[in-house]
Amino acid sequence: PFVSSMKVDIEKFDDSDFGIWQLKMRDLLFQQALLKTLKGVKALPYSWTKEEKEDVMERALGAILLTLSNEVLREVGNAKSVPQLWLKLESLYMTKPFAKRLYLKKSLHTL
């Protein structure tokens, strides 16, 4: 598997703007040849050994976890795989702006 030596810093995701963090994280995973891990082990090349696939999945999981704030990490830290972690992050943080907007509208109408 390809391993990139380029160092890229990504701000830790702290529940402020999931969409931007998600784009940056996808780019980081792409640069490190880890993007396919978001789809799971079956998306990795068939020719790789089981150990190579496990190594790549562990590196991707670690890369994502290292870019999360402690508060976010507490919410998703029990995820055991990259796809599971990614889906959990999306379910928790993709809908927040919409939910906040609904709450604000409701608050405005009750005034």
Side-chain angles (χ1 to χ4, degrees):
F2 172 77
V3 178
S4 174
S5 62
M6 181 172 31
K7 180 167 174 20
V8 178
D9 285 327
I10 220 177
E11 290 180 30
K12 290 197 181 252
F13 174 61
D14 62 359
D15 189 17
S16 59
D17 193 343
F18 181 73
I20 295 297
W21 174 87
Q22 189 179 39
L23 285 172
K24 289 179 178 181
M25 195 65 225
R26 281 182 173 274
D27 287 343
L28 178 68
L29 292 172
F30 175 77
Q31 288 177 356
Q32 295 180 356
L34 300 171
L35 188 59
K36 288 183 180 181
T37 61
L38 294 178
K39 296 178 183 174
V41 175
K42 292 183 179 185
L44 299 177
Y46 182 74
S47 61
W48 288 6
T49 66
K50 182 180 177 185
E51 291 77 23
E52 287 173 319
K53 291 178 181 180
E54 287 174 358
D55 179 56
V56 167
M57 294 300 285
E58 287 173 6
R59 283 192 296 120
L61 186 63
I64 296 170
L65 291 173
L66 286 172
T67 63
L68 302 176
S69 70
N70 291 341
E71 293 78 23
V72 175
L73 197 52
R74 283 186 193 96
E75 296 289 324
V76 299
N78 62 345
K80 301 294 182 211
S81 70
V82 175
Q84 183 185 19
L85 174 61
W86 199 255
L87 288 173
K88 192 163 188 174
L89 285 165
E90 286 180 338
S91 70
L92 288 171
Y93 299 106
M94 280 291 271
T95 57
K96 282 221 171 173
F98 180 71
K100 286 179 185 176
R101 246 184 285 142
L102 283 178
Y103 175 76
L104 289 173
K105 277 186 178 181
K106 185 177 176 183
S107 298
L108 181 64
H109 289 291
T110 57
L111 289 176

